[in-house]
């Protein structure tokens, strides 16, 4: 095959040509702003490049949206809301969301490949993401009928509570699950009857643009608008726009706080899904082999770029040896490499900036006296030298108040702590600013229940990780966020209550 060297081994060139070929098939035709159902250049005429983190090559140039574009998009959303969308029935919206789900399923492999090229996640992971996108639209198609207002009556009193959409919502999403995060935002917003202005992350705009090409004739003009661009240039004006009546953001805690400050200018309602530093608690009765499988998935899936990753392991002393031995084997046995290849377990991180961030934390961990049980560097493979690769890493021996333990690394880095006193362990497990998720590994139902209740976080896994079913609300305690996604109550966050009181004589 021309894509490998003479001895059949992978080379940087063989990876590049595989990726160029795939890109030719799936990079969208339109890489502009999507406003009022039309593809438009940015008002400034400027573009920016999105890169392929496996090869470092440019995948596409995309419109660089700014304040004037946000203004146009909000206006288009408002017009669509006033003229058409606010008049739609639940059944009409349900049919549209269902058709979107069908289209996504028809284009699954293409969307997954595009996600792999733009983000670096493995094709296997990208396929799961795209399945989840269809599931999300299907769930909220059904959920449109699950919420409505109610009446309040007693002798001499009659009133009704109407749940009204906000009209125009602004939605800002990150790069770790680009299309999935778009669906988490768009599906409930549309189901509840809102129009959206969505800003994808600058690292990964392409799958959302291709998605809009695919559903262009399904969604009425102006109901979904996409402004691509940088956070400061396109996200910031969106979060300050007085025509936006509700903001939803997923990303870093620092930017989440800024969004909340911006929202305060117009007293705009806001939901936030921010970072995490989630504890995995392993009890003494855990089966080591099963525990290793769950832990490896918790931290290494999606190259550790998951807000809900299990990144702090609290393992009971009695089972620490076999579990750590198993984890070292798992980490060292993982295939790090080209995410388009089926046998790859761990793809690149999304960007060089993210590699540097992870490496800064690993440097700091070394200075803090950490022992590296596995990984901690770039893979020793010439073919991967042009990409954003980091090896699966296990670290032990850090103080729990060290910055590498307290802060979100967002890479394939697990920090290990051994325990024998439950209360002391739980104090540490909860001793972070975050509270997004957590997990417990045990076969004892009472222990599972107790630990699930003791962890201060919004989502707890028992003997598994990352699995999220629509219907189970997802969101954070503490500085991990405000609000809940993925469930029928999400619709409450996209509507506001209006009371109508009748005067009865
Ligand atoms: P970020 O929070 O800057 O980016 C998320 C989104 O916010 C992007 O669409 C970005 O363009 C936008 N944004 C950035 N600055 C903005 C501003 N001033 N106003 C409005 N929108 C703005 O995250 P970044 O810098 O890409 O990653 C930094 C760290 O954040 C990661 O290493 C990770 O720890 C965390 N993160 C957490 C995520 C999560 O799912 N909770 C997702 C992505 C990052
Ligand atoms: Mg990219």
């Amino acid at each position: 095959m021309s894509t490998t060297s003479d001895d059949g081994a992978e080379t940087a060139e063989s990876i590049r040509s595989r990726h160029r070929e795939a890109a030719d098939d799936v990079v969208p035709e339109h890489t502009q702003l999507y406003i009022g159902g039309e593809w438009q250049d940015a008002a400034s005429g400027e573009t920016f490049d999105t890169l392929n983190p496996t090869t470092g090559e440019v995948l596409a140039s995309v419109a660089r949206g700014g304040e004037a574009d946000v203004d146009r998009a909000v206006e288009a959303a408002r017009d669509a809301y006033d003229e058409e969308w606010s008049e739609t029935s639940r059944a009409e919206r349900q049919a549209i969301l269902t058709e979107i789900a069908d289209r996504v399923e028809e284009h699954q492999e293409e969307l997954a490949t595009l996600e792999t090229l733009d983000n670096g996640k493995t094709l296997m992971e990208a396929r799961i993401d795209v399945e989840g996108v269809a599931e999300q639209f299907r769930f909220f198609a059904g959920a449109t009928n699950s919420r409505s207002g109610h009446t309040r009556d007693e002798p001499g009193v009659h009133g009704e509570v109407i749940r009204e959409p906000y009209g125009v919502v602004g939605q800002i999403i990150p790069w770790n699950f680009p299309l999935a995060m778009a669906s988490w935002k768009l599906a409930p917003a549309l189901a509840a009857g809102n129009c959206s202005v969505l800003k994808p992350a600058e690292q990964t705009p392409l799958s959302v643009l291709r998605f809009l090409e695919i559903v262009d004739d399904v969604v009425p003009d102006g109901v979904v608008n996409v402004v691509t661009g940088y956070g400061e240039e396109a996200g910031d004006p969106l979060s300050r726009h007085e025509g936006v009546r509700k903001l939803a953001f997923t990303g870093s805690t620092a930017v989440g706080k800024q969004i909340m400050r911006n929202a305060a200018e117009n007293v705009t309602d806001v939901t936030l899904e921010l970072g995490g530093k989630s504890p995995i608690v392993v009890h003494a009765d855990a089966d080591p082999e099963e525990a290793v499988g769950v832990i490896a998935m918790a931290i290494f899936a999606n190259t550790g770029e998951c807000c809900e990753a299990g990144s702090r392991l609290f393992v009971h002393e009695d089972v620490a040896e076999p579990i750590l031995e198993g984890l070292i084997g798992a980490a060292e046995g993982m295939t790090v490499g080209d995410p388009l290849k089926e046998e790859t377990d761990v793809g690149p991180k999304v960007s060089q900036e993210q590699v540097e961030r992870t490496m800064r934390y690993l440097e700091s961990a070394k200075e803090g006296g950490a022992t590296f049980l596995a990984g901690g560097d770039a893979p020793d493979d010439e073919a991967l030298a042009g990409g954003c690769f980091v090896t699966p890493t296990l670290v032990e021996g850090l103080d729990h108040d060290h910055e590498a333990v307290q802060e979100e690394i967002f890479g394939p880095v697990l920090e290990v702590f051994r325990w024998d006193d439950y209360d002391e362990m739980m104090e540490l497990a909860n001793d972070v600013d975050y509270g997004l998720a957590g997990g417990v590994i045990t076969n004892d139902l009472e222990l599972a229940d107790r630990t699930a209740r003791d962890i201060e976080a919004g989502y707890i896994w028992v003997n598994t990780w990352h699995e999220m079913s629509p219907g189970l609300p997802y969101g954070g305690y503490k500085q991990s966020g405000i609000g809940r996604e993925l469930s029928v109550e999400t619709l409450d966050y996209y509507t506001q209550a209006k009371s109508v009181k009748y005067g009865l004589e």
Side-chain angles (χ1 to χ4, degrees):
M1 216 165 98
S2 64
T3 53
T4 50
S5 65
D6 291 346
D7 61 1
E10 191 82 289
T11 65
E13 187 47 38
S14 67
I15 294 176
R16 273 198 295 272
S17 58
R18 183 181 303 116
H19 279 244
R20 283 181 198 144
E21 246 173 66
D24 282 345
D25 291 339
V26 300
V27 167
E29 181 193 341
H30 299 100
T31 53
Q32 293 147 288
L33 313 174
Y34 184 72
I35 297 178
E38 283 173 17
W39 298 98
Q40 307 184 9
D41 291 332
S44 67
E46 287 183 45
T47 60
F48 67 97
D49 291 337
T50 182
L51 305 180
N52 178 336
T54 306
T55 62
E57 292 191 322
V58 175
L59 264 176
S61 294
V62 178
R64 181 169 169 175
E67 191 167 356
D69 304 301
V70 168
D71 286 346
R72 269 191 299 148
V74 172
E75 199 179 320
R78 188 74 226 178
D79 289 348
Y81 181 76
D82 289 343
E83 286 159 23
E84 183 177 359
W85 196 242
S86 56
E87 302 294 321
T88 53
S89 65
R90 288 188 166 86
E92 285 168 306
R93 297 201 299 274
Q94 188 169 43
I96 288 170
L97 293 178
T98 303
E99 178 64 23
I100 293 174
D102 290 345
R103 297 272 179 105
V104 167
E105 272 165 6
E106 280 161 30
H107 292 269
Q108 187 196 3
E109 194 63 13
E110 173 197 345
L111 287 167
T113 305
L114 183 56
E115 204 76 302
T116 293
L117 294 177
D118 208 6
N119 163 279
K121 66 178 65 206
T122 66
L123 195 51
M124 196 192 73
E125 290 165 334
R127 286 182 188 129
I128 296 171
D129 281 14
V130 180
E131 268 171 37
V133 171
E135 187 180 40
Q136 191 68 205
F137 281 101
R138 246 181 248 303
F139 176 80
F140 280 104
T144 53
N145 283 310
S146 71
R147 281 291 202 264
S148 47
H150 58 274
T151 60
R152 171 90 197 164
D153 59 277
E154 52 195 288
V157 176
H158 182 81
E160 61 198 25
V161 182
I162 302 171
R163 296 232 45 122
E164 289 190 334
Y166 282 92
V168 179
V169 302
Q171 307 186 303
I172 300 173
I173 55 170
W175 41 260
N176 52 343
F177 294 92
L179 194 55
M181 287 301 108
S183 73
W184 284 33
K185 296 286 177 278
L186 293 175
L190 302 192
N194 300 282
C195 294
S196 169
V197 177
L198 176 79
K199 196 205 82 67
E202 53 270 36
Q203 296 85 351
T204 55
L206 296 181
S207 55
V208 173
L209 297 176
R210 180 64 190 129
F211 166 79
L212 264 308
E213 285 182 347
I214 291 168
V215 301
D216 174 58
D217 61 321
V218 182
V219 181
D221 292 349
V223 171
V224 175
N225 306 275
V226 176
V227 179
T228 48
Y230 293 103
E232 304 252 311
E233 295 174 6
D236 181 76
L238 182 60
S239 65
R240 294 175 192 276
H241 203 294
E242 62 175 7
V244 170
R245 301 286 160 77
K246 197 241 150 61
L247 286 163
F249 170 78
T250 298
S252 63
T253 296
V255 173
K257 289 179 181 176
Q258 183 58 41
I259 301 270
M260 217 170 153
R261 281 190 284 269
N262 294 354
E265 288 176 21
N266 301 306
V267 195
T268 305
D269 189 17
V270 58
T271 55
L272 303 170
E273 200 267 271
L274 309 176
K277 193 77 191 188
S278 302
I280 312 171
V281 174
V282 182
H283 284 282
D285 71 309
D287 174 72
E289 204 178 314
E290 282 172 25
V292 167
V294 171
I295 298 163
M297 172 172 71
I299 187 61
F300 299 137
N302 215 46
T303 318
E305 294 174 336
C306 302
C307 40
E308 81 283 5
S311 48
R312 292 178 297 135
L313 173 65
F314 294 92
V315 58
H316 193 282
E317 263 179 15
D318 290 357
V319 281
E321 286 307 324
I323 288 179
L324 291 180
E325 201 177 300
L327 276 174
I328 293 167
E332 290 177 347
M334 288 185 136
T335 304
V336 179
D338 181 356
L340 279 181
K341 292 176 85 174
E342 303 282 341
E343 65 264 34
T344 297
D345 299 307
V346 180
K349 291 186 58 72
V350 74
S351 65
Q352 210 50 54
E353 195 187 347
Q354 281 295 317
V355 173
E356 284 159 20
R357 183 187 157 103
T358 299
M359 290 307 178
R360 264 201 316 275
Y361 278 112
L362 295 183
E363 241 356 274
S364 159
K366 258 176 221 155
E367 284 161 20
T371 308
F372 282 66
L373 305 177
D377 42 25
D380 182 21
D381 183 348
E382 272 296 299
L384 303 181
C388 303
F389 293 92
V390 177
T391 52
T393 302
L394 302 172
V395 170
E396 192 174 15
L398 282 174
D399 287 338
H400 195 269
D401 56 7
H402 190 276
E403 62 171 5
V405 179
Q406 290 291 316
E407 295 169 21
E408 190 175 41
I409 298 179
F410 230 57
V413 180
L414 181 69
E415 288 144 359
V416 179
F417 302 89
R418 302 178 200 223
W419 63 278
D420 61 357
D421 181 290
Y422 180 83
D423 293 335
E424 280 173 22
M425 177 278 295
M426 190 51 68
E427 201 167 309
L428 284 187
N430 284 328
D431 187 20
V432 286
D433 289 337
Y434 292 112
L436 186 59
V440 47
I441 303 179
T442 180
N443 291 310
D444 181 324
L445 197 55
E446 276 177 35
L447 277 181
D449 178 65
R450 176 176 174 201
T451 305
R453 286 171 193 278
D454 285 345
I455 296 173
E456 292 172 22
Y459 211 104
I460 307 292
W461 284 283
V462 179
N463 297 335
T464 185
W465 211 278
H466 295 303
E467 288 179 33
M468 295 173 203
S469 298
L472 292 174
Y474 180 80
Y477 282 23
K478 301 198 275 186
Q479 294 194 24
S480 288
I482 300 174
R484 293 294 179 269
E485 298 187 289
L486 269 188
S487 61
V488 288
E489 48 263 73
T490 309
L491 296 175
D492 298 345
Y493 291 97
Y494 281 103
T495 51
Q496 46 195 341
K498 174 186 279 180
S499 294
V500 183
K501 176 76 168 61
Y502 292 83
L504 300 180
E505 286 306 316

